[in-house]
Amino acid sequence: MKTVIPYFLVLLAAVLWGTTGTAQTYLPQNAQPLTIGASRLAIGGFSLLIIMIVMKKINFSTWPWKETIVAALCMALFQPLFFTSVRVTGIAIGTVVAIGSAPIFSGLIEWFFLKLRPSRAWIMATTMSVIGCSLLFLNKDALTVNPLGVTLSLIAGFVFAIYTIVSKALLAKVEAIPAVAMTFSISAIILMPFLFIFDSSWVTEPSNIATILYLGFMTTSVAYILYLTGLQKVPSSSAVTLSLGEPLTAAVLSVFIVGEVLSAVSWIGVLLLLGGIIVLTFSGRKRAKQI
């Protein structure tokens, strides 16, 4: 696999994640974010798990349970942490702090614990992307800096960084599709109680089935298969930085599909985000030529 292709796979995964917000606008207002998260993980995880078991791609006796359980816990924790932080401190601050802090945490973890010093391209791309992400959300809801909300957002960013690093270790032992199947099935089981705590009757309504299937298969199964496939050849810190393509996609879709209007400052943020992604993606090709 050519070096630049894994970067595009990770970026494509981020693009699919970015469609989640637009897709959720087609769901009823009483649909709780946590029930949506539990439903999409269950659909994406269990469907893949059944297929992998039938195809005999999973050997439970030799499966790397330690990495899988840690990754599943991280994914299950990220859902309530992120959605609670957004509810407490607002969409703008919650999203910027959580998604913007993840690549920084990932780079620091790689540096201090894995002894992988970040490249200049990563530092430049991450700086551009985080600033761009901040500018992008300046015209969103009124900014409310709530200490609890910011703390939860930081923990969410840290948890996603851990998920990426642990998943990379998992991929050294198993293939991407079985890894997604096992990780998300366990995450779904952990989040299953939320389906009973909140009203989840909307899941079985015919008008919502297509949307929830899209969220389960495309933004969960397919997206994370792409992400983990690319992650096999991409440094964890770079993969998390490329995931900032998620808010970029969400912003573009909000303009062209939902009908929102972005300010001039937010468009500058879009350009910075896009620039950071381009720098990081094509730096991979440059390193390959040097090698």
Side-chain angles (χ1 to χ4, degrees):
M1 188 182 293
K2 294 182 180 179
T3 305
V4 74
I5 295 177
Y7 287 80
F8 281 119
L9 292 179
V10 172
L11 183 57
L12 183 56
V15 169
L16 286 173
W17 294 333
T19 66
T20 302
T22 301
Q24 288 185 27
T25 61
Y26 295 98
L27 294 176
Q29 292 294 322
N30 66 328
Q32 291 287 333
L34 285 173
T35 60
I36 296 173
S39 300
R40 61 187 285 212
L41 288 176
I43 292 171
F46 292 147
S47 59
L48 275 181
L49 183 62
I50 293 172
I51 294 172
M52 290 297 99
I53 291 175
V54 171
M55 294 179 65
K56 298 181 179 180
K57 292 288 186 179
I58 295 177
N59 188 332
F60 290 97
S61 61
T62 60
W63 189 265
W65 289 104
K66 181 180 178 181
E67 293 87 348
T68 304
I69 291 174
V70 173
L73 283 172
C74 287
M75 188 48 57
L77 279 172
F78 179 80
Q79 309 289 326
L81 283 169
F82 178 71
F83 289 124
T84 304
S85 70
V86 166
R87 179 163 294 184
V88 171
T89 199
I91 295 174
I93 295 296
T95 303
V96 169
V97 174
I99 298 179
S101 66
I104 298 173
F105 280 129
S106 182
L108 291 175
I109 292 170
E110 282 192 344
W111 192 356
F112 289 107
F113 293 98
L114 303 181
K115 307 304 179 183
L116 298 174
R117 189 171 183 175
S119 65
R120 291 182 181 179
W122 177 84
I123 294 173
M124 181 187 299
T126 301
T127 301
M128 291 174 64
S129 298
V130 171
I131 294 174
C133 189
S134 302
L135 295 177
L136 180 62
F137 285 91
L138 280 182
N139 74 320
K140 296 293 180 180
D141 299 342
L143 301 180
T144 304
V145 181
N146 182 291
L148 175 61
V150 170
T151 301
L152 292 174
S153 296
L154 287 171
I155 297 174
F158 179 74
V159 164
F160 185 76
I162 292 292
Y163 164 79
T164 299
I165 293 171
V166 172
S167 293
K168 193 169 182 67
L170 177 62
L171 291 174
K173 301 178 180 180
V174 295
E175 297 178 3
I177 298 179
V180 171
M182 289 292 285
T183 300
F184 284 89
S185 294
I186 296 173
S187 295
I189 293 172
I190 295 172
L191 292 178
M192 201 68 72
F194 289 110
L195 291 175
F196 302 98
I197 294 174
F198 301 109
D199 178 25
S200 58
S201 58
W202 56 270
V203 176
T204 56
E205 294 177 7
S207 60
N208 300 324
I209 291 178
T211 302
I212 198 66
L213 287 177
Y214 173 81
L215 290 171
F217 289 116
M218 295 305 295
T219 71
T220 305
S221 296
V222 174
Y224 277 94
I225 288 172
L226 290 170
Y227 185 71
L228 294 188
T229 301
L231 186 61
Q232 291 175 321
K233 300 291 184 179
V234 174
S236 301
S237 55
S238 296
V240 178
T241 299
L242 287 171
S243 69
L244 291 175
E246 177 183 356
L248 175 61
T249 302
V252 172
L253 289 177
S254 71
V255 172
F256 293 103
I257 295 182
V258 181
E260 293 185 4
V261 178
L262 294 183
S263 66
V265 173
S266 292
W267 279 113
I268 293 174
V270 168
L271 293 175
L272 282 172
L273 259 171
L274 186 59
I277 289 169
I278 291 172
V279 167
L280 193 58
T281 300
F282 287 96
S283 70
R285 173 180 289 179
K286 182 178 180 181
R287 284 198 302 273
K289 289 181 178 179
Q290 290 174 344
I291 293 172

